[in-house]
Amino acid sequence: MSALPSDQPLRLMTVHAHPDDESSKGAATCARYVADGIEVMVVTCTGGEAGSILNPAMDTPEVRADMPGTRYAEMAKAAAILGVAHRWLGFVDSGLPEGDPKPPLPPGCFALEPLEVPTEALVRVMREFRPHVVVTYDETGGYPHPDHIRCHEVSIAAWEACGDPDRFPEAGEPWQPLKLYYSHGFSKARILAYHEALLEAGMESPWAEWLERWDDSRPDPGARVTTRVRCAEYFPVRDDALRAHATQIDPNGRWFAMPMEMQQRVWPTEEYELARSLVGEVMETESAEDGDLFAGIRERVDA
């Protein structure tokens, strides 16, 4: 594969199910790369219309009456804080079915769309933005929300179709991203590190109950990590973006219980799994504590 032109900016695309996912999963990484001069686009598959109001201060008649508009405004604010471009795919939030048995998903929702429909929509955005690196969820979705699982399926299908001129020819000129990563949520090691640091400082830990309920029979996402991106400097930006999703994040909740300095010291990275690569063997930096999602790609840019 030939070197990339030196005047061609590097580009990162992250694909998420709902507004606020981009701020809770990899936001500090995005902020770091924006600061490095890399173009970053967040794609949100649904409008988050079915989301619950998780911040008591936002549980008002006005917000409940216009949940779609509220979440659109929150997303715009978060994108501005992170410094990223943003694109809606325009599909309807499927909601998280609960109960036994679980109720059927609502007709017309994202998870029930024929796979080709959202795949073409994402391919169109990919061919327009032309990312070198794409980040999405693994096959579990991170947790079993139907939209998260569908987001994975659509992202993989779009990755495979994007560079094929015979697939979706009306969706723009073919473009092949070079690397695909899965973002990973909290590993047990990370939660335990937070928990022990708080106890050592004589503080109450909000993670104790989570650790007590941790099911060790389930695979730990930490075991799949290949790449740790050092981005602690941008944790404050991440938290500001999280707070922008005011209906979804309680500023007095668990996510903000640990002092920032402690969090930056105890766990200064965000974690990823390299799922697909077209730049040859995995670089040594993939497994390092200072990994780079563009490892193997930067080296192809002319000096």
Side-chain angles (χ1 to χ4, degrees), residues 133-134 159 178-184 224-227 271-283 286-287 292-295 297:
V133 176
V134 175
W159 163 277
L178 297 175
K179 296 174 81 176
L180 174 73
Y181 285 90
Y182 297 150
S183 61
H184 281 295
R224 297 174 56 167
V225 167
T226 62
T227 309
E271 286 71 52
Y272 301 89
E273 175 188 355
L274 180 63
R276 309 279 180 91
S277 175
L278 299 179
V279 296
E281 295 182 2
V282 177
M283 307 294 289
E286 293 294 348
S287 59
D292 180 11
L293 302 186
F294 290 88
I297 297 176

Side-chain angles (χ1 to χ4, degrees), residues 149-233:
I149 294 170
R150 195 56 158 175
C151 180
H152 163 81
E153 295 167 346
V154 170
S155 298
I156 294 298
W159 163 277
E160 294 174 346
C162 195
D164 186 345
D166 295 326
R167 299 288 308 280
F168 310 115
E170 302 301 318
E173 290 295 320
W175 170 263
Q176 181 58 60
L178 297 175
K179 296 174 81 176
L180 174 73
Y181 285 90
Y182 297 150
S183 61
H184 281 295
F186 281 62
S187 63
K188 186 175 183 180
R190 181 178 175 185
I191 298 170
L192 189 60
Y194 284 175
H195 174 71
E196 291 177 345
L198 286 166
L199 295 183
E200 185 177 339
M203 302 173 66
E204 184 177 351
S205 170
W207 308 103
E209 183 181 351
W210 194 344
L211 286 168
E212 289 173 3
R213 293 186 287 108
W214 190 274
D215 182 1
D216 285 314
S217 67
R218 296 179 57 188
D220 189 324
R224 297 174 56 167
V225 167
T226 62
T227 309
R228 295 171 174 83
V229 176
R230 187 171 292 274
C231 51
E233 178 183 351

Side-chain angles (χ1 to χ4, degrees), residues 19-20 22-23 44 68-86 88 241 244-245:
D20 82 80
E22 85 297 327
S23 296
T44 309
T70 298
R71 299 208 68 182
Y72 270 60
E74 290 174 346
M75 183 65 238
K77 184 176 180 181
I81 290 168
L82 294 173
V84 301
H86 178 253
W88 298 99
H245 293 283

